Amino acid sequence: MADLFAALEPPPPPAPDAPLADRLRPRALGDVVGQEHLTGPDGAIGRMVAAGRLSSIILWGPPGTGKTTIARLLADAVGLRFVAISAVFSGVADLKKVFAEARDAARKGMRTMLFVDEIHRFNRAQQDGFLPAVEDGTVTLVGATTENPSFELNAALLSRAQVLILHRLDRAALEKLLERAEAAVARPLPLDAAARDALIASADGDGRFLLNQAETLYSVDLPARLDPAGLGNFLQRRVAVYDKDREGHYDLISALHKSIRGSDPQAALYYLARMLTAGEEPLFLLRRLVRAAVEDVGLADPQALQQCLAAKDAYDFLGSPEGELAIAQACLYLATAPKSNAVYSAQKAAWTAARETGSLQPPLHILGAPTKLMRDAGYGKGYEYDHDAEDGFSGAHYWPDDMAPQRFYEPTDRGHEKRIAERMAWWEERRNEKRS
């Protein structure tokens, strides 16, 4: 049974030639940086450790924020046997083996923590396979994921596990990692202050990436400290973290749309740049800009829609990167245009009314009468041709006889809609005069 209890032994110290990130891996929960909201005395993990009892949890956070490290240290802190698998390389057979070994260990008085890295990569049926073992206490499940559990994990599994959110590492946490690296190597990084700031910024909250970059700098003997330009030439540029079919895609497009709606052209341009430089499909962005034009600007500035369609034509004609300037122009036009969702609200209200009253017939006088039978039945009788009326306005009634007139469109007093509102008020006054 030695195999079952090998995981109880604390992991051996990393070899001297191990990667720097591995050598600096925390040996206690108190050494974990950037996640004090969880590991501190008042945090969820801190309270579990204090109680000496761990419930099943899902660790959700960006890469390089300490999910695997926290799981291993948590098992040590509460005295659980630690078993780790990756959803990338494991299947149902592996899970059955782990569960069988966990039951054997339980009979010997040892409880098991099962750590599942990238748990979101298991399909729904595979995720269901965890449920019996979690429910009967065979294993305490700790899953790690970079994807939103609400979208990627079964509701049944989520109901049995607490989701803990890890933050991307802030500047202070990343600086602390660099200080530990310098202490471990016993010499400072060959960077000036500005380059050090640039290195931290390039990590984008990923501690593992930062330490790997630091190790690259330590691997060569540089004649002098690097400035930001020298650092950029020495290290390859970090590719933005962005999966076009994952949560980051929807987060950024939401941020772009809401920045436009909120009339913040600087933020809108920033999120547009984030997506384009990360490889987003420009036509996807153009479709969203068109949507913003009709939903959030509407008739307050009718040119907004034309600007977006013109940007689409310009991009089709120029391609990337030249055509991206037209996309940026449309984005800025929308963000700086007067805002109104009156058309959007009117559409929803009209669609609701149509579903509720869809069988009502329009009044006969506005129906076409192409045949004698229809004319004899009264179709088109009494119709007033507006262009023959004074001011081109007849003031006729157009609603179904069994439906009171509705007000779906209520223009605002912003932009062009102010003139529209004045025109509608004039028509309404004339209509009342003709009916009185």
Side-chain angles (χ1 to χ4, degrees):
M1 302 305 295
D3 290 344
L4 289 176
F5 301 104
L8 290 175
E9 299 294 329
D17 59 348
L20 182 61
D22 193 41
R23 281 183 278 153
L24 294 178
R25 191 179 293 276
R27 309 289 288 176
L29 280 170
D31 297 332
V32 176
V33 301
Q35 310 304 336
E36 290 79 9
H37 64 293
L38 296 177
T39 59
D42 296 327
I45 291 174
R47 291 196 300 269
M48 290 179 191
V49 172
R53 185 169 184 81
L54 174 66
S55 59
S56 291
I57 58 177
I58 302 296
L59 299 175
W60 172 30
T65 52
K67 295 184 290 294
T68 303
T69 296
I70 287 175
R72 182 178 289 279
L73 295 176
L74 190 51
D76 293 341
V78 297
L80 296 184
R81 172 177 171 268
F82 182 82
V83 177
I85 63 173
S86 170
V88 177
F89 302 111
S90 305
V92 173
D94 301 291
L95 291 177
K96 289 181 178 179
K97 181 179 178 181
V98 168
F99 296 151
E101 292 178 346
R103 292 187 183 97
D104 288 341
R107 283 192 285 270
K108 298 295 190 286
M110 295 304 304
R111 293 161 52 229
T112 298
M113 174 202 282
L114 173 58
F115 174 69
V116 184
D117 196 19
E118 300 196 73
I119 191 172
H120 60 276
R121 293 186 180 270
F122 277 132
N123 62 36
R124 302 285 173 167
Q126 290 171 318
Q127 291 177 29
D128 284 340
F130 289 103
L131 300 179
V134 170
E135 286 184 338
D136 65 15
T138 298
V139 298
T140 298
L141 175 66
V142 176
T145 178
T146 57
E147 303 299 329
N148 191 327
S150 301
F151 302 143
E152 303 296 336
L153 300 184
N154 279 354
L157 186 58
L158 286 176
S159 71
R160 292 161 174 82
Q162 182 179 1
V163 176
L164 304 181
I165 301 175
L166 280 74
H167 298 162
R168 64 189 297 275
L169 301 188
D170 60 18
R171 193 192 187 289
L174 294 171
E175 177 63 42
K176 188 174 293 186
L177 290 181
L178 288 186
E179 291 172 357
R180 291 180 183 178
E182 290 173 323
V185 180
R187 59 188 173 98
L189 283 164
L191 304 172
D192 65 19
R196 189 183 185 91
D197 288 341
L199 179 65
I200 290 175
S202 74
D204 196 24
D206 185 334
R208 182 171 49 244
F209 176 87
L210 179 69
L211 292 175
N212 289 341
Q213 294 291 69
E215 186 167 31
T216 301
L217 287 165
Y218 279 131
S219 68
V220 297
D221 186 15
L222 295 171
R225 293 192 305 170
L226 298 175
D227 61 11
L231 177 67
N233 291 331
F234 183 80
L235 297 177
Q236 292 185 352
R237 183 178 67 89
R238 179 178 175 86
V239 177
V241 178
Y242 183 78
D243 294 323
K244 288 190 282 185
D245 62 343
R246 297 290 183 180
E247 187 191 7
H249 163 85
Y250 298 105
D251 286 347
L252 289 182
I253 197 63
S254 177
L256 170 63
H257 195 148
K258 289 180 173 64
S259 298
I260 289 172
R261 180 181 296 149
S263 300
D264 190 331
Q266 318 300 345
L269 189 60
Y270 167 71
Y271 290 118
L272 179 72
R274 281 273 300 272
M275 300 183 81
L276 282 173
T277 57
E280 180 58 79
E281 173 58 50
L283 289 179
F284 168 77
L285 293 169
L286 283 162
R287 284 192 291 271
R288 180 52 69 102
L289 293 181
V290 169
R291 172 68 186 190
V294 295
E295 178 180 341
D296 297 299
V297 178
L299 289 175
D301 185 350
Q303 280 298 314
L305 177 58
Q306 297 305 316
Q307 282 281 334
C308 292
L309 295 176
K312 186 262 183 188
D313 289 341
Y315 180 80
D316 285 343
F317 186 60
L318 294 174
S320 289
E322 291 86 352
E324 293 173 9
L325 181 59
I327 303 177
Q329 177 175 313
C331 172
L332 292 173
Y333 191 98
L334 295 178
T336 56
K339 303 298 188 296
S340 170
N341 71 339
V343 172
Y344 179 49
S345 298
Q347 183 224 0
K348 291 193 295 183
W351 264 235
T352 298
R355 284 189 290 267
E356 294 173 351
T357 62
S359 61
L360 296 181
Q361 183 175 341
L364 289 178
H365 71 273
I366 61 171
L367 300 183
T371 68
K372 182 177 185 300
L373 176 63
M374 297 174 73
R375 288 192 293 273
D376 291 344
Y379 281 61
K381 184 177 181 181
Y383 171 64
E384 297 180 65
Y385 187 57
D386 285 80
H387 295 292
D388 290 340
E390 182 183 358
D391 295 323
F393 180 72
S394 67
H397 177 75
Y398 297 100
W399 290 89
D401 293 333
D402 295 330
M403 181 178 181
Q406 306 290 308
R407 291 190 66 88
F408 302 130
Y409 178 49
E410 296 283 0
T412 69
D413 61 356
R414 296 183 292 275
H416 183 66
E417 276 195 329
K418 184 174 183 179
R419 295 182 60 193
I420 294 176
E422 294 170 352
R423 193 179 307 143
M424 290 176 63
W426 183 84
W427 281 329
E428 187 67 21
E429 183 180 355
R430 292 297 308 278
R431 184 176 286 111
N432 292 334
E433 290 175 355
K434 289 178 177 291
R435 294 177 184 174
S436 60

